[in-house]
Amino acid sequence: MVKLLPLILLIGGIGAGVGAGLAFAPSGDAETPEHAAGDEHGEAPAAETAIDCGPQGTKVAGGASDMPPEGREYAKMSNQFVIPVISNDKVTSLVVASLSLEVGTGVSETVFAREPKLRDAFLRVFLDHASIGGFDGNFTAATRLASLRTALLESTRPVMGNQVSDVLITELARQDS
């Protein structure tokens, strides 16, 4: 009987898994075009409002968009930046950051060709920011991030000229040791 119990539990578990898979499987019914534009009752969606999302005065329907402004594109830096935060001659935490650059259409290839110089310039800015305590305490405060973004954007000028219009911090995390 003791050796039979694991077998019964195994068969019961497999049966429950198959049952759950069948119960939660997609039905295969495609949504009709009439219902795709509305909600579950077939009603039309509410009108979306435009929100001012930047100094250029650009408007974005629905509040947010992953698309760059017309005539612009995003160039994502290929690797993350790892920045040590040093206090009393010891590494107290590590900050990991990912960046994307907003550039004119067709300039992404230039960004990728000059990425080593850009990475060097960005790393210098990150290390300076860390050395003045920029990653201490509430490092995600709007004023701290604004000054960091400004410094990152200014560091692109010697490498890219005025081809970079914005530096986007897409990920930022700190791990304390």
Side-chain angles (χ1 to χ4, degrees), residues 150-164:
T150 301
L152 289 168
L153 181 60
E154 288 173 1
S155 72
T156 66
R157 299 295 181 229
V159 180
M160 296 292 297
N162 288 329
Q163 294 178 329
V164 177

Side-chain angles (χ1 to χ4, degrees), residues 1 7 16 18 31 34 54 65 68 82 105 120 122 130 137 155 160 174:
M1 181 68 180
L7 184 61
V18 169
E31 196 173 82
E34 305 86 58
S65 174
V82 179
T105 304
D120 177 62
F122 291 152
S155 72
M160 296 292 297
R174 179 183 69 199

Side-chain angles (χ1 to χ4, degrees), residues 129-154:
H129 191 72
S131 70
I132 62 169
F135 293 121
D136 295 339
N138 185 9
F139 68 101
T140 59
T143 53
R144 287 189 180 187
L145 288 180
S147 65
L148 178 59
R149 279 190 188 97
T150 301
L152 289 168
L153 181 60
E154 288 173 1

Side-chain angles (χ1 to χ4, degrees), residues 92-145:
T92 58
S93 60
L94 292 175
V95 175
V96 178
S98 294
L99 301 179
S100 290
L101 306 179
E102 185 178 310
V103 296
T105 304
V107 179
S108 291
E109 292 302 318
T110 307
V111 169
F112 298 132
R114 297 180 183 168
E115 186 170 2
K117 284 188 168 265
L118 285 169
R119 289 187 67 80
D120 177 62
F122 291 152
L123 195 53
R124 288 178 192 200
V125 170
F126 279 130
L127 292 173
D128 286 345
H129 191 72
S131 70
I132 62 169
F135 293 121
D136 295 339
N138 185 9
F139 68 101
T140 59
T143 53
R144 287 189 180 187
L145 288 180

Side-chain angles (χ1 to χ4, degrees), residues 64-96:
S65 174
D66 290 338
M67 300 300 298
E70 193 170 319
R72 311 296 296 166
E73 64 186 14
Y74 298 130
K76 183 175 179 9
M77 300 300 288
S78 61
N79 292 318
Q80 295 177 323
F81 293 87
V82 179
I83 305 102
V85 178
I86 300 171
S87 179
N88 298 327
D89 294 331
K90 293 184 180 179
V91 175
T92 58
S93 60
L94 292 175
V95 175
V96 178

